[in-house]
Amino acid sequence: MTLKRRDFLKSIGLATAALGLWDTGWPLLGDRYGQALAQPARRKLALLVGLDRYGSAARDCPPLRGCLMDLELQRQTLIYRYGFQPEDIVTLTDQAATRSAIETTFLEHLVQQARPDDVVVFHFSGYGSQIQGAEPDDLQPSLVAADSALPRSPRDQVNDLPLATLGLLLRALDCDRVITVLDTSHAIPPQTTPPLAVRWRSRLPSAQGDWNPDIVAVQDALRQRALRPQVPGLYLQGSDPHTPALELDLESFAVGAFTASLTQQLWQELPNNPLTVTWQRALSRLINVTGISQHPTLDGETSNRPSLGSWGLVPMSSQGVDGSITRVDSNGEVRLWFGGMSPTALKTLGYNSQFTVVTGEETGSVQPDSPSDPDRSPLSLKVQWRDRLTAAAYLTQGYPENLAQLAPGQGIQEKVRWLPRSPQLTIGLEPQLDRIERIDATSAFAAMGQVEAITMGDRAVDYVFGRLQALQSQSLNTNPDGSLSVSIHRYGLCAPGQEVLPGTISSADEAVKTAVQRLGSRFRSLLALKLLRSLINTDSTRVPLKLEFKDLTLDLPLARYVAERAVGLSPWYSWRNGSSALHFPLPQSHTLRYQCQNLGNQPLYGLLIATRPDGSFALGYPPSLNTAAQQPAKSWVFPPFSATIAIDYPSSLDWVVTTPTTAMELFCVVSTAPFPRTLQVLAPSWEDTFKPLRPVANPLGAIESLLEDLYQGSRGVLPPADAGDTVPLEVSQWAVVRLTGQVQG
């Protein structure tokens, strides 16, 4: 039986549902969360609870990997983005996070200290559960503490932390600016095991039995206090009662998908952004890493305040930042935290990556045609080494005289990104493959080049290779065609935690080596996609542009974007209405329009690259730019803002979605330099020069050429360097913005 949302809200003491992530389309989770943190307050208190290892008391809970990292993400955000004092943040982890310890610490640190003007944050990352009461429809949601063992007999008692108790604790607070974040879930999915390469934060199965008498005593004692009529503030849950919260592996560490997406957006948030923009971007981040399989919810009090700045206190940096300085040593070493970087950008971060320091002098905007100050040179840091989200860096110039200008809490923004010319694809071998299959698969992958096969669990993987039956039975989003028979000798690919990739399953039984060889061209397409995604710099680009993706049939904007860090970009040129999401419903048989506008005073050059789940690539190219046979393809030019757009250089592209597809990724590529190598690779494969979207025959060759073109565009503003196997790109010279469309229904 599934816990109903109304019963869930009633159990914790929330009178009504303010907004559910999927109930209203665009709830204001991110903005209201950020607003409450940004309000002026006498004191800011936080209690963070996370459990990766539950120990023998809760032996029914397999170890998690990302809960302690969730706490670190949250803690660093509170300290270096919103000015919490470290001594006002208390953490309980693993074996210390027993039920009674959580209750006692909440009372002592939050209830007894918080005053009416204070801000309080409570965060929990770990397993959730639901307790079956005496009646079949009596399901009570709970948090699984370190000593929450499943009852083994009718005499055993349930020792979870009921959400009803948490609700009473929250109602006992003497302040109304309260933010509760639960990166957990209570759903019991029909599958018995989580999807491949991810973990659920729902304890399976649900518990049944009587509550520990101590739990009842605590609730009775709390009811004797002067309680608020309902839970104050904002109540954020990692998933709704019907779907599990996911935990993902990212490089050498794991995170809760919800916590990671939320905190990344808070680092990037601007004080004056409309509230809907905040949430739509947070939602896009979550969808980019989980698909649409996780449905967070927001309940509690609402607000009509239009932006973070309207609460009277902005974050420590008034600009969106990729992280913060956390320590400055006298020997010149500067420690950095990269809480605002997306997973794809983080993978590229390493030796020689450069960041500029936001000192507070760079705030504000100027008109597009305003000249930049030639004497202004922001401090720049070069990374020497990185360990997960922490790095050590040094000033690129001005040491030691400029060291005194650096301080903990200053924001940092990406300046130079280094990318490999030949990316590596990591394939996980699903656990149900037998020994011979694994040996054959490893041998076949080793012969391919740029593709590596590893055992699942060793580290993060790009895709999973395995038997059809295993891939389908463990996929959250898969609905196999009933006519497709399941065989143990048919193999395919899936993304971590997601559905089988279309076109990767054979029509008959085959040997493992044959399957790997059959997928050779698909691996090349996936390599191209990985390289293309590594170019995404939506948050950090300084190219002055804005773009719109629109449904012309309904005259409805589907996605809008403006480069907020671009030099010379005035708020007047930002979008004033319409969707600011980068994820949108994909309409079928509608006319769609992509339009890019140059807001600077120099020409820009563009490409539009579309990809589908079946591995196909297409290039968006205006038919009016067609050239005669054997002639070089013309560049798609976006004229300066002050110029009249010439007929020969259109800034928009229209097409009709006619090919059946469940999803589409659009990569909007803009550069300060043209793309001669890319167009040279693409043009010979164009069969119909009047199609706005033209198939790409060699995706990997095209994207490798694109990387070289972008590198040539950056060489004019970077010091000479021996690039070798990696190339540096300067964020003021290129922009790659990803838009994702999903068919609804």
Side-chain angles (χ1 to χ4, degrees):
M1 179 173 292
T2 303
L3 184 66
K4 295 181 179 179
R5 181 164 171 76
R6 180 177 299 177
D7 296 333
F8 172 84
L9 297 173
K10 183 179 178 181
S11 69
I12 194 172
L14 287 162
T16 58
L19 288 171
L21 186 153
W22 302 95
D23 298 337
T24 62
W26 302 119
L28 308 181
L29 179 151
D31 50 69
R32 288 193 279 147
Y33 181 88
Q35 287 174 347
L37 294 179
Q39 296 181 75
R42 181 163 50 89
R43 195 176 181 191
K44 302 172 184 178
L45 303 169
L47 172 59
L48 313 179
V49 181
L51 298 96
D52 277 339
R53 298 187 177 277
Y54 278 78
S56 58
R59 56 187 176 275
D60 302 286
C61 297
L64 295 169
R65 300 179 188 174
C67 298
L68 300 192
M69 179 55 75
D70 284 0
L71 300 198
E72 190 65 9
L73 289 171
Q74 190 69 273
R75 184 176 183 275
Q76 299 282 37
T77 303
L78 296 179
I79 293 173
Y80 295 108
R81 187 62 173 158
Y82 289 104
F84 278 57
Q85 296 301 312
E87 60 269 21
D88 288 332
I89 301 176
V90 173
T91 60
L92 293 175
T93 61
D94 290 345
Q95 299 304 300
T98 62
R99 176 189 55 78
S100 61
I102 297 172
E103 295 167 343
T104 300
T105 308
F106 196 108
L107 285 168
E108 294 178 350
H109 182 59
L110 301 181
V111 174
Q112 294 178 12
Q113 295 194 76
R115 298 295 178 262
D117 291 336
D118 292 347
V119 168
V120 167
V121 173
F122 174 75
H123 181 107
F124 177 88
S125 284
Y127 281 110
S129 186
Q130 54 187 27
I131 309 304
Q132 177 68 61
E135 301 297 329
D137 59 349
D138 182 15
L139 295 174
Q140 303 177 47
S142 65
L143 304 179
V144 181
D147 54 350
S148 297
L150 274 174
R152 296 290 181 178
S153 70
R155 297 189 303 273
D156 293 340
Q157 296 168 334
V158 178
N159 200 44
D160 289 8
L161 176 65
L163 288 193
T165 300
L166 177 60
L168 292 170
L169 289 167
L170 291 165
R171 290 168 58 194
L173 290 165
D174 193 25
C175 57
D176 55 12
R177 288 182 289 178
V178 180
I179 302 96
T180 303
V181 182
L182 306 182
D183 198 344
T184 186
S185 53
H186 312 280
I188 308 298
Q191 300 98 321
T192 58
T193 55
L196 292 168
V198 301
R199 289 166 295 282
W200 289 336
R201 288 186 174 177
S202 297
R203 182 179 63 186
L204 304 176
S206 59
Q208 186 171 4
D210 296 327
W211 291 107
N212 184 325
D214 291 344
I215 296 174
V216 179
V218 169
Q219 293 180 353
D220 289 341
L222 287 170
R223 291 189 181 98
Q224 301 304 312
R225 292 173 171 263
L227 301 178
R228 292 174 174 271
Q230 65 183 61
V231 171
L234 310 176
Y235 191 87
L236 289 67
Q237 178 98 12
S239 196
D240 65 17
H242 309 291
T243 56
L246 299 181
E247 183 176 279
L248 308 172
D249 292 323
L250 302 178
E251 287 191 303
S252 58
F253 64 96
V255 294
F258 177 61
T259 299
S261 301
L262 179 63
T263 54
Q264 285 164 23
Q265 182 54 42
L266 291 177
W267 283 96
Q268 298 294 341
E269 190 58 29
L270 297 182
N272 295 323
N273 271 353
L275 301 183
T276 52
V277 171
T278 306
W279 169 240
Q280 289 168 14
R281 293 177 181 175
L283 176 61
S284 295
R285 293 179 191 277
L286 182 66
I287 291 174
N288 282 340
V289 295
T290 67
I292 56 173
S293 58
Q294 182 169 340
H295 299 176
T297 60
L298 170 65
D299 300 289
E301 301 172 358
T302 60
S303 171
N304 294 322
R305 290 172 176 162
S307 68
L308 296 179
S310 65
W311 289 75
L313 183 67
V314 297
M316 294 181 68
S317 170
S318 61
Q319 300 184 48
V321 295
D322 301 314
S324 173
I325 294 176
T326 60
R327 195 179 80 194
V328 181
D329 293 339
S330 58
N331 65 357
E333 183 177 275
V334 182
R335 290 296 178 94
L336 307 176
W337 174 263
F338 296 105
M341 297 200 74
S342 69
T344 53
L346 189 65
K347 290 179 181 179
T348 69
L349 201 162
Y351 180 73
N352 276 344
S353 298
Q354 291 187 36
F355 291 80
T356 55
V357 180
V358 180
T359 61
E361 300 174 358
E362 292 84 7
T363 59
S365 301
V366 295
Q367 296 297 323
D369 293 331
S370 299
S372 59
D373 183 356
D375 298 326
R376 178 181 172 185
S377 180
L379 299 178
S380 179
L381 299 169
K382 180 181 291 187
V383 172
Q384 296 298 303
W385 57 261
R386 176 176 69 89
D387 179 17
R388 301 190 294 181
L389 295 175
T390 302
Y394 294 85
L395 285 165
T396 57
Q397 58 184 0
Y399 174 79
E401 59 271 17
N402 287 336
L403 194 63
Q405 299 183 44
L406 303 180
Q410 290 175 331
I412 53 174
Q413 296 177 336
E414 185 180 29
K415 180 182 180 182
V416 178
R417 180 183 301 185
W418 287 76
L419 293 173
R421 280 194 165 100
S422 299
Q424 187 86 2
L425 203 63
T426 304
I427 305 297
L429 301 179
E430 63 95 353
Q432 293 187 27
L433 294 176
D434 62 34
R435 177 175 173 274
I436 299 301
E437 287 175 312
R438 300 173 73 82
I439 292 174
D440 289 347
T442 302
S443 173
F445 279 116
M448 298 192 69
Q450 293 184 249
V451 182
E452 175 191 21
I454 66 171
T455 300
M456 294 284 294
D458 288 352
R459 61 179 191 270
V461 299
D462 297 309
Y463 298 93
V464 179
F465 173 84
R467 296 175 181 170
L468 171 62
Q469 185 175 15
L471 297 180
Q472 288 182 335
S473 64
Q474 301 194 61
S475 177
L476 283 177
N477 298 330
T478 299
N479 294 305
D481 184 350
S483 63
L484 186 64
S485 62
V486 175
S487 171
I488 62 173
H489 294 297
R490 295 171 62 191
Y491 305 92
L493 292 170
C494 74
Q498 299 185 36
E499 60 187 11
V500 177
L501 296 181
T504 64
I505 301 295
S506 66
S507 58
D509 287 359
E510 61 184 341
V512 169
K513 285 189 175 181
T514 303
V516 174
Q517 294 167 358
R518 172 178 56 81
L519 293 170
S521 61
R522 189 59 174 271
F523 288 128
R524 289 181 59 82
S525 293
L526 293 175
L527 277 167
L529 183 59
K530 182 173 183 177
L531 181 56
L532 183 55
R533 286 174 174 171
S534 72
L535 290 167
I536 297 170
N537 63 344
T538 308
D539 295 321
S540 62
T541 183
R542 294 182 180 271
V543 176
L545 65 93
K546 71 175 183 179
L547 59 86
E548 179 182 62
F549 188 62
K550 187 175 184 178
D551 184 338
L552 284 183
T553 303
L554 300 178
D555 192 25
L556 177 68
L558 298 176
R560 285 175 165 177
Y561 169 81
V562 62
E564 293 173 335
R565 295 188 192 175
V567 176
L569 197 62
S570 169
W572 187 86
Y573 297 106
S574 299
W575 295 111
R576 292 296 183 181
N577 51 59
S579 172
S580 295
L582 300 182
H583 178 84
F584 54 88
L586 183 63
Q588 294 284 357
S589 302
H590 285 202
T591 301
L592 306 178
R593 169 171 290 175
Y594 164 71
Q595 186 168 18
C596 180
Q597 186 172 10
N598 181 352
L599 299 179
N601 53 21
Q602 299 295 324
L604 296 176
Y605 303 84
L607 294 172
L608 180 66
I609 300 173
T611 69
R612 292 188 173 93
D614 63 4
S616 62
F617 280 63
L619 176 72
Y621 189 81
S624 59
L625 295 182
N626 286 333
T627 58
Q630 308 303 320
Q631 290 185 357
K634 294 180 181 178
S635 296
W636 189 4
V637 181
F638 304 140
F641 178 79
S642 58
T644 301
I645 298 178
I647 296 178
D648 291 338
Y649 300 110
S651 61
S652 63
L653 180 69
D654 299 349
W655 75 93
V656 178
V657 178
T658 56
T659 304
T661 184
T662 58
M664 177 183 290
E665 286 185 78
L666 297 175
F667 295 86
C668 312
V669 184
V670 180
S671 174
T672 58
F675 305 100
R677 296 166 184 80
T678 310
L679 292 175
Q680 186 176 11
V681 172
L682 293 171
S685 65
W686 292 347
E687 297 178 357
D688 187 346
T689 58
F690 292 97
K691 284 185 177 180
L693 285 185
R694 309 178 186 189
V696 176
N698 180 12
L700 184 56
I703 305 305
E704 288 175 340
S705 298
L706 173 62
L707 178 62
E708 290 299 321
D709 282 333
L710 294 177
Y711 170 48
Q712 295 302 318
S714 289
R715 291 186 67 179
V717 297
L718 289 174
D722 182 12
D725 294 333
T726 58
V727 296
L729 302 181
E730 216 276 358
V731 295
S732 66
Q733 304 302 303
W734 104 96
V736 174
V737 179
R738 176 172 63 174
L739 310 177
T740 56
Q742 192 85 26
V743 173
Q744 303 298 296

